[in-house]
Amino acid sequence: MRVLGLDIGSRTVDALWLTDGDVADWAVADSGYDPGSVAAAFAGREHVDRIVATGYGRHVAKERLDAEVVTEIKAYALGAHALFPHAASVLDIGGQDTKVIALGVGGRVVNFEMNDKCAAGTGKFLEVMARALGFELQEMASSALSAPSGVAISSMCTVFAESEVTGLVHRGEDLGRVARGLHESIAKRTLSSLKRVGAAGPLVFAGGVAKNAAMVALISEGFEGEVLVPHEAQTVGAYGAALCAAIEPNGGADG
Amino acid sequence: MTETAAPDYHQMWAELGLDLPTHDALLQAVGSMYGDAYLTQANRPKGTDYLDFVLSEVHGLRIKELADFRKSGGKVFGTFCLYVPEEIIRAAGGWNVGLCAGAEFAYDQVEQIMPRNTCALIKSATGFKLAKVCPYFESSDLVIGETTCDGKKKAYELLGKMHNVWVMELPQMKRPEDLAMWKAEIRNLVKKAEETTGTTITAESLRAAITEVNDKRRALRRIAATCTADPAPISGKDRLLATQVAFYDDVPRFTQMMNALADELEQRVANGQGVAPKGAKRILVTGTPMALPNWKLHDIIEKSGAVVVAEEMCTGSRYYTKLVAEDGESVDAMLDDIAEKYLDINCACFTPNQGRIDDVIQMAKDYHADGVIDISLQFCGLYEMESHNVEQAVRDAGFPVLKITTDYSMEDVGQLSTRIEAFLEML
């Protein structure tokens, strides 16, 4: 049986195909301004027996592609559990969401937390800050890593933090230290969220921001327990959705 | 929307001083929200037709009834809060109506006189007044406020510059001396109501009012009780609407219609007929009140396939569960009964407020809830602060809890849907 998992997020659309439960192929594309069509292009690539969609665009996929839907929470829990069966928790920092999930037996969701309506501390936040500092994303991460210490950033609101950063730049503050301060403030917020849901190690750190070496280093430093970063951190949600399509009798879809 | 010859109320609205173009826009917005949330539901009980009718005439027929009442010398009292006893207003010959809130309106004007980080309930109510779009406010001869939170206290000072406003002092604790103070305050309300209507409260009129309002609460209790069944015979959204309408509608008529609805629901339970399939996830909602037209949370929960089986909130069990004793023999005895019943409402404005936590846990058991969603309006310090204790106690009692902080805006519907769907998957 060939199935497709789609994770239609705010920044990227991730697709992952399984053949009889094994990963056959995967792909990532920018969401652009019409993520539904990006997802449709993946779905139209070849015949599949079943599609399960997750992410912000899941309900659009349900209408356009007749896909079943699961939330990102369940998809990430399943994907992370399949990659690391001994994982006890998941952290996913995506384009505009941060999710922390405590896992139970078999990758079951025991507790979770998501950020509220603003994009503070997410991938989008880092993108905006990189622009304010004149860095490429990876460049910002590496300069944060090599800075000896961070400047304290008091604001987590993307808009306020941007003005705070601009102020620091104008004061002649070292850009690497500012970059490190930004990463530290996200790590601090994320670690307290992990504490609140009772996340134990090993922790699977997934989502686009898990590709950021500075974030991985800071989370690993602050978390009591092992931190595991999947090789393709961005496709964990799509993998989980595909597993739903392959394993569960009706995809676990909730309508 | 049907184009049948609906009566044209523009003349009446103009006489009340409403801003007609803005008010038209508001009605259109509420109409489309209602259509999307309510008229799309499957398996609705027939008795909800009455709620549809009331909503379609919420600024029409009902306002005309108020206008006719006032023309005949009657006085209308606008209220914001459960703690203002409607029995006393009715016993003095007045009618009371809940005032508009529940939607973002004229925030640009509101933010000229209040901080941006004021809770949505206060901002919305003020917005309706500033934009002149709430016919209930404009039909009120007297608005009765209460000191249930700091934001409201100060808001009444601002509203008092635009309208005839009178504020009741509510204690913050429930000790004997607080009850004594509250009993005195209830007597102050009697004086104010009598002064406003020109009618003296008698044992007879007070007894009749107590029975009448108790009967309204009994009808709502019957409706609520049917939702202990699986499948629940009515959606949480429709029950919420019934409670919201209870604050506006003519009391005897509403009671009669709700008893008819309860008859139907009891029959549906007997027939095993549900609004959602048997086994659908059952959610208890607790937290800040949901003023009409705030149906946001219920809409998201029920569109995700679950059913809201009960609300532990002011637009829910706190309104209809407790009754005023009916055996008081004198005006004085009845006023004491009223004081005791009203002080027994478990709002987060009291400290301590263990009664609310006990109620939530008991209701979660009684209604066989699979999970509890605790909702706070953003910037409502009282409920946001109390949320932690509620969460811990309810979790310890064995019920999963999802905590949500939101407001009346629609910008977070995507995120809320994800969180609520994930919560349902987890149950």
Side-chain angles (χ1 to χ4, degrees):
Chain A
M1 188 166 83
R2 192 143 170 108
V3 297
L4 168 62
L6 286 169
D7 183 357
I8 307 168
S10 64
R11 311 297 295 157
T12 59
V13 177
D14 316 325
L16 190 142
W17 288 263
L18 294 178
T19 303
D20 297 328
D22 293 325
V23 178
D25 195 9
W26 57 268
V28 174
D30 276 343
S31 299
Y33 296 99
D34 184 8
S37 295
V38 179
F42 282 136
R45 203 187 265 189
E46 60 181 293
H47 170 79
V48 289
D49 299 301
R50 197 165 181 190
I51 303 174
V52 171
T54 187
Y56 269 99
R58 64 188 181 281
H59 292 296
V60 174
K62 187 179 168 190
E63 278 166 35
R64 283 185 60 169
L65 311 174
D66 201 25
E68 292 160 75
V69 295
V70 290
T71 64
E72 299 96 292
I73 308 288
K74 184 168 178 178
Y76 271 86
L78 279 175
H81 175 72
L83 290 169
F84 303 100
H86 60 305
S89 56
V90 184
L91 163 64
D92 159 45
I93 309 184
Q96 61 177 34
D97 274 337
T98 297
K99 309 171 194 78
V100 297
I101 310 167
L103 297 178
V105 183
R108 213 171 60 82
V109 177
V110 174
N111 197 4
F112 71 93
E113 199 175 288
M114 258 175 86
N115 58 321
D116 288 328
K117 58 182 158 190
C118 78
T122 64
K124 186 76 204 166
F125 177 88
L126 286 170
E127 279 179 28
V128 171
M129 296 312 139
R131 208 166 50 227
L133 290 171
F135 280 138
E136 292 294 322
L137 265 179
Q138 292 306 329
E139 202 183 349
M140 178 166 72
S142 53
S143 66
L145 267 181
S146 50
S149 62
V151 179
I153 306 286
S154 52
S155 185
M156 272 314 291
C157 165
T158 309
V159 178
F160 291 155
E162 191 179 10
S163 3
E164 198 175 340
V165 164
T166 307
L168 290 167
V169 170
H170 282 276
R171 252 176 27 209
E173 192 56 74
D174 177 71
L175 299 189
R177 288 190 66 224
V178 176
R180 187 171 177 98
L182 286 164
H183 284 79
E184 283 172 350
S185 73
I186 298 178
K188 197 168 146 195
R189 186 183 163 101
T190 306
L191 289 164
S192 70
S193 180
L194 284 162
K195 271 218 177 86
R196 273 197 302 274
V197 303
L203 168 74
V204 177
F205 185 4
V209 175
K211 292 205 237 168
N212 177 318
M215 280 313 301
V216 174
L218 290 168
I219 296 289
S220 304
E221 203 178 287
F223 185 73
E224 283 178 38
E226 194 185 356
V227 176
L228 306 161
V229 179
H231 196 58
E232 294 301 336
Q234 219 169 333
T235 57
V236 175
Y239 186 30
L243 286 168
C244 266
I247 303 167
E248 299 209 352
N250 53 27
D254 52 28
Chain B
M1 293 264 153
T2 49
E3 293 294 323
T4 47
D8 186 352
Y9 295 110
H10 282 83
Q11 174 75 29
M12 174 179 79
W13 293 329
E15 281 168 16
L16 280 174
L18 297 192
D19 177 333
L20 295 180
T22 315
H23 181 253
D24 282 348
L26 170 74
L27 281 190
Q28 197 170 19
V30 172
S32 83
M33 280 167 72
Y34 190 73
D36 181 53
Y38 280 87
L39 305 180
T40 53
Q41 296 182 97
N43 307 318
R44 271 182 102 194
K46 194 88 189 68
T48 58
D49 285 356
Y50 179 67
L51 299 175
D52 288 345
F53 171 72
V54 169
L55 248 282
S56 70
E57 289 286 345
V58 70
H59 282 193
L61 193 57
R62 184 60 186 148
I63 298 301
K64 185 167 184 312
E65 288 176 348
L66 297 183
D68 292 345
F69 177 63
R70 294 174 77 204
K71 272 181 204 142
S72 70
K75 298 291 176 193
V76 173
F77 295 71
T79 60
F80 274 108
C81 179
L82 248 51
Y83 287 103
V84 180
E86 52 191 291
E87 290 87 348
I88 291 172
I89 293 166
R90 296 186 70 77
W95 284 1
N96 71 300
V97 290
L99 298 178
C100 303
E104 275 188 356
F105 217 81
Y107 276 17
D108 52 336
Q109 293 177 59
V110 176
E111 285 167 11
Q112 289 172 25
I113 62 167
M114 309 186 158
R116 285 186 58 208
N117 52 358
T118 304
C119 90
L121 187 75
I122 294 173
K123 274 170 95 166
S124 165
T126 309
F128 278 99
K129 175 64 187 170
L130 289 173
K132 296 194 167 58
V133 291
C134 174
Y136 291 95
F137 213 126
E138 303 311 323
S139 300
S140 297
D141 296 287
L142 177 68
V143 166
I144 304 180
E146 57 346 279
T147 57
T148 42
C149 76
D150 290 353
K152 274 179 160 185
K153 278 191 282 200
K154 292 294 133 182
Y156 293 131
E157 291 175 13
L158 295 167
L159 290 170
K161 291 185 176 169
M162 308 168 224
H163 208 97
N164 188 15
V165 176
W166 186 76
V167 179
M168 288 184 81
E169 161 78 326
L170 185 75
Q172 302 179 34
M173 295 176 84
K174 294 182 180 178
R175 303 163 307 178
E177 53 268 47
D178 299 308
L179 179 60
M181 183 273 255
W182 179 237
K183 283 179 176 174
E185 192 65 1
I186 292 286
R187 273 127 181 120
N188 289 336
L189 174 66
V190 170
K191 226 164 87 196
K192 188 70 187 177
E194 288 177 339
E195 227 173 76
T196 307
T197 61
T199 304
T200 305
I201 290 176
T202 63
E204 201 184 1
S205 72
L206 190 52
R207 188 170 301 118
I210 288 174
T211 311
E212 207 168 46
V213 177
N214 275 351
D215 284 345
K216 168 162 73 162
R217 300 185 205 275
R218 284 191 188 101
L220 290 169
R221 289 201 322 191
R222 278 184 68 198
I223 293 172
T226 62
C227 289
T228 56
D230 184 19
I234 183 171
S235 67
K237 244 183 311 205
D238 273 318
R239 265 185 322 89
L240 172 65
L241 181 60
T243 315
Q244 291 171 334
V245 168
F247 292 94
Y248 298 78
D249 204 7
D250 177 74
V251 176
R253 177 178 61 208
F254 177 78
T255 303
Q256 186 195 344
M257 298 312 287
M258 290 305 104
N259 275 318
L261 175 61
D263 290 341
E264 182 191 355
L265 297 180
E266 284 162 7
Q267 193 53 52
R268 277 167 76 102
V269 171
N271 299 343
Q273 201 181 349
V275 70
K278 190 175 163 69
K281 295 280 187 284
R282 303 165 64 83
I283 300 297
L284 171 72
V285 173
T286 178
T288 40
M290 295 173 173
L292 193 145
N294 177 17
W295 309 302
K296 178 176 161 181
L297 185 74
H298 282 56
D299 194 40
I300 297 174
I301 295 171
E302 298 196 327
K303 281 185 176 154
S304 303
V307 184
V308 180
V309 289
E311 294 83 19
E312 189 288 318
M313 49 178 51
C314 290
T315 45
S317 63
R318 283 182 223 150
Y319 179 63
Y320 52 72
T321 304
K322 289 163 187 162
L323 303 178
V324 177
E326 288 176 331
D327 55 359
E329 283 177 2
S330 61
V331 168
D332 237 21
M334 286 186 262
L335 290 178
D336 284 352
D337 290 339
I338 288 173
E340 281 169 26
K341 183 265 175 214
Y342 277 85
L343 196 66
D344 200 20
I345 299 170
N346 295 319
C347 172
C349 64
F350 285 94
T351 185
N353 194 28
Q354 183 61 34
R356 176 181 168 216
I357 292 173
D358 296 343
D359 286 348
V360 173
I361 294 170
Q362 192 56 48
M363 286 175 73
K365 291 177 183 161
D366 293 346
Y367 288 88
H368 313 293
D370 295 299
V372 175
I373 297 185
D374 178 32
I375 180 153
S376 302
L377 277 180
Q378 192 177 21
F379 308 123
C380 175
L382 295 167
Y383 279 86
E384 284 191 284
M385 290 288 285
E386 193 166 280
S387 183
H388 182 68
N389 281 341
V390 172
E391 182 190 17
Q392 275 199 328
V394 175
R395 248 189 240 289
D396 289 346
F399 296 95
V401 182
L402 178 66
K403 263 169 49 167
I404 286 177
T405 300
T406 184
D407 55 24
Y408 301 154
S409 74
M410 291 297 152
E411 65 196 27
D412 59 347
V413 166
Q415 266 120 332
L416 286 182
S417 301
T418 301
R419 289 171 65 189
I420 287 167
E421 284 173 36
F423 183 62
L424 298 175
E425 285 170 348
M426 193 182 95
L427 298 176

